[in-house]
Amino acid sequence: MYLNFIDMKKLFVFQLTFIFTLFLGLNAVAQDESADMYENEDSRAELQNFRYNDQRGVNVFEAPKDDTPYRGFGLRVGGDFAIQWQALTQSSNFTGDTIQSLDPNFNLPTANLNLDVQLYDGVRMHLRTYLSSRNHAEAWVKGGYVRIDKLDFIKEDFLSGIMDVAFLKVGYDEINYGDAHFRRTDNGRAIYNPFVGNYIMDAFTTEPFAEINVLHPSGFIGVLGASNGRLNQNVVENNDDGITFYGKLGYDKQMNDDLRLRFTGSFYSSSASTGDYPGGRKREYLYSGDRSGSRYYGVFGSNQDPAGNFDPRFNPGWTTLTAFQINPFVKFKGLEFFGIFEMASNNVDSVGGSVTQLGAELLYRFGGNEQFYVGGRYNAVTGDLFDTPAGTTIKTDVEVTRINVGGGWFMTRNMLAKIEYVTNTYGGGAWENTIYDGGEWNGVVVEAAISF
């Protein structure tokens, strides 16, 4: 036992030394950058209305609608990479199964391949492939879409009065519900997220969709979209004939050099369809659509579910639901606030259930180019839900609370290092006789992210 303790101590010291050496090396690269590394603002590879896949994309929500000139067919090949060193501990009062012990170590790295193509004047395509993810050993396509800002391929200046302030998106990709999905980690792309993990109720799903977005110069934002609500598509008759509608209204304006205000409200509603479950076949993936797996590895993995790829996020598990999300965003100089107030309810009245999510991030960004930041995040989910999609047993008093405190450093536009302390607790009567009964996990996570 003494030898094992010595070996573990040596391993721990080696890991810390490795991380410290890695950051020193990255710092040397950063210091070797020329002084004007932030001055070239036109390196978007000839793409129109494109969100930078680096520090310049931070706090960008809908990709801008600007007057970037068309320079012909353009192809931009990009990628994302993220790896974490995780030192978390966990405990539970549940006696029916034993949760796994966690050791300080590195997580499996994740990576994306991104293709962005300018197909025509005002027509751009995006495609993302997950090269490595927590939940899949093989590479697979996450999704993609076509964004149409002009209809000149039909006729020059066709509906230009509308298209000057609007654009269409059609594809199989994430839908524009809420604002949190613009700041979340998407597998290997972690450069927009100031923390390591996503929110407890992670509103993210990839479905076939069509939507119209309005970005008016006055600051008005409008979105209206529809999807068939399916995650895995097929044409076999199974009475799965529902539909999902979603939308957004808001305001986003740079008031002056120091102050930016944004406030949006979003809705999402999936309809029931005939089938085996109460109220219809399952067609609700809003909180379970990220098939790459969650960020904190091994948390509440157990002998029953050793992988635990989707813990510790929370999914109500309803077959159909209606959800609303309100997001305030304020940035005054280096001080930044982003919030979530979200309510989701079961559309099957005979079963019922509703949950509420609160989230608040307060950050301070500083440095000549705001390359450093410190801050915290509070996230809580409360409510009632039922046991299984086919059952009507109500679980009441659901409580999940998470707090993140940490900071980050953009060593270059494309390289971000983060460190955080995170603590998560499960409370309320809903978790009795489950692995989450009296559950708690906490610790330190360090993440390195590269996007280009």
Side-chain angles (χ1 to χ4, degrees):
M1 182 177 297
Y2 177 74
L3 290 177
N4 288 339
F5 173 77
I6 295 298
D7 291 341
M8 288 296 296
K9 185 176 180 180
K10 288 181 177 178
L11 177 61
F12 185 75
V13 172
F14 166 77
Q15 291 168 354
L16 288 179
T17 304
F18 178 85
I19 294 171
F20 182 71
T21 305
L22 174 64
F23 284 173
L24 282 180
L26 292 176
N27 182 37
V29 174
Q31 295 299 324
D32 194 46
E33 293 275 346
S34 61
D36 62 349
M37 60 179 287
Y38 288 94
E39 293 181 3
N40 181 11
E41 295 294 335
D42 297 319
S43 57
R44 284 191 273 189
E46 311 301 329
L47 300 184
Q48 296 175 317
N49 303 316
F50 175 72
R51 181 186 185 185
Y52 290 105
N53 198 38
D54 55 36
Q55 185 188 0
R56 290 168 292 180
V58 171
N59 292 333
V60 174
F61 295 87
E62 291 81 11
K65 187 170 178 66
D66 53 29
D67 56 357
T68 304
Y70 174 62
R71 297 186 177 92
F73 179 89
L75 171 64
R76 185 182 189 279
V77 180
D80 306 285
F81 174 84
I83 186 173
Q84 307 81 39
W85 180 83
Q86 177 178 294
L88 300 177
T89 59
Q90 55 186 352
S91 61
S92 170
N93 295 335
F94 186 54
T95 58
D97 192 16
T98 303
I99 61 173
Q100 299 175 128
S101 296
L102 303 178
D103 289 330
N105 217 323
F106 291 95
N107 290 335
L108 178 72
T110 53
N112 303 340
L113 171 66
N114 306 317
L115 299 178
D116 292 281
V117 186
Q118 191 72 47
L119 300 172
Y120 195 73
D121 188 8
V123 182
R124 180 171 58 80
M125 185 199 78
H126 167 78
L127 178 68
R128 173 162 292 161
T129 298
Y130 291 159
L131 299 177
S132 170
S133 66
R134 178 179 178 184
N135 190 47
H136 281 259
E138 74 282 2
W140 52 289
V141 175
K142 169 227 174 175
Y145 61 85
V146 172
R147 169 168 165 160
I148 301 173
D149 285 271
K150 296 180 181 180
L151 297 174
D152 287 8
F153 58 88
I154 298 176
K155 182 182 177 180
E156 187 175 356
D157 293 330
F158 184 71
L159 296 180
S160 59
I162 297 175
M163 300 308 291
D164 284 345
V165 297
F167 64 88
L168 304 173
K169 284 181 72 174
V170 181
Y172 189 112
D173 203 71
E174 62 187 86
I175 62 174
N176 191 2
Y177 163 78
D179 284 350
H181 74 102
F182 292 114
R183 297 167 67 90
R184 71 186 297 278
T185 292
D186 186 10
N187 197 46
R189 191 205 66 193
I191 204 153
Y192 301 146
N193 190 345
F195 300 97
V196 175
N198 295 321
Y199 282 89
I200 297 170
M201 282 205 327
D202 187 17
F204 172 89
T205 179
T206 54
E207 301 173 0
F209 73 94
E211 65 183 40
I212 181 169
N213 292 251
V214 177
L215 302 179
H216 197 274
S218 66
F220 171 80
I221 301 168
V223 179
L224 185 62
S227 165
N228 71 354
R230 294 180 180 178
L231 189 68
N232 295 312
Q233 307 302 307
N234 65 76
V235 295
V236 177
E237 183 179 0
N238 59 6
N239 297 318
D240 189 4
D241 54 358
I243 191 170
T244 294
F245 292 102
Y246 60 94
K248 178 185 296 186
L249 288 175
Y251 179 81
D252 188 345
K253 191 73 171 179
Q254 188 73 43
M255 309 303 292
N256 52 52
D257 291 342
D258 295 330
L259 178 64
R260 177 185 174 188
L261 299 176
R262 178 182 171 99
F263 187 87
T264 64
S266 303
F267 79 91
Y268 176 100
S269 183
S270 57
S271 66
S273 57
T274 58
D276 302 328
Y277 303 129
R281 293 186 60 83
K282 178 174 175 58
R283 60 183 313 97
E284 197 341 83
Y285 296 95
L286 180 62
Y287 303 111
S288 62
D290 183 5
R291 293 167 288 173
S292 66
S294 61
R295 181 55 89 210
Y296 301 110
Y297 285 49
V299 171
F300 279 86
S302 66
N303 294 335
Q304 296 175 355
D305 182 17
N309 286 331
F310 300 105
D311 284 327
R313 72 186 185 191
F314 174 78
N315 174 28
W318 299 319
T319 60
T320 175
L321 66 78
T322 296
F324 300 91
Q325 186 177 129
I326 296 175
N327 302 111
F329 173 78
V330 180
K331 191 173 191 309
F332 179 72
K333 295 186 178 180
L335 190 64
E336 174 182 315
F337 173 82
F338 176 78
I340 292 179
F341 175 78
E342 185 169 24
M343 296 184 66
S345 58
N346 191 350
N347 283 348
V348 182
D349 294 334
S350 62
V351 178
S354 64
V355 290
T356 299
Q357 174 168 235
L358 299 177
E361 294 179 13
L362 185 63
L363 303 173
Y364 182 69
R365 300 184 186 272
F366 59 98
N369 299 290
E370 294 192 347
Q371 66 268 37
F372 304 101
Y373 67 85
V374 293
R377 174 197 285 170
Y378 171 82
N379 189 197
V381 172
T382 59
D384 305 324
L385 67 156
F386 60 89
D387 276 328
T388 64
T392 58
T393 302
I394 300 294
K395 281 188 174 183
T396 60
D397 196 19
V398 172
E399 294 181 10
V400 187
T401 304
R402 185 179 302 167
I403 296 175
N404 306 71
V405 179
W409 171 30
F410 282 94
M411 292 168 285
T412 72
R413 276 178 174 164
N414 304 97
M415 298 191 298
L416 171 63
K418 315 175 195 177
I419 183 170
E420 72 171 26
Y421 174 81
V422 55
T423 179
N424 191 110
T425 58
Y426 297 86
W431 308 119
E432 292 180 1
N433 299 318
T434 73
I435 196 170
Y436 305 101
D437 186 5
E440 181 177 359
W441 56 271
N442 57 72
V444 175
V445 185
V446 180
E447 182 172 58
I450 297 174
S451 289
F452 58 92

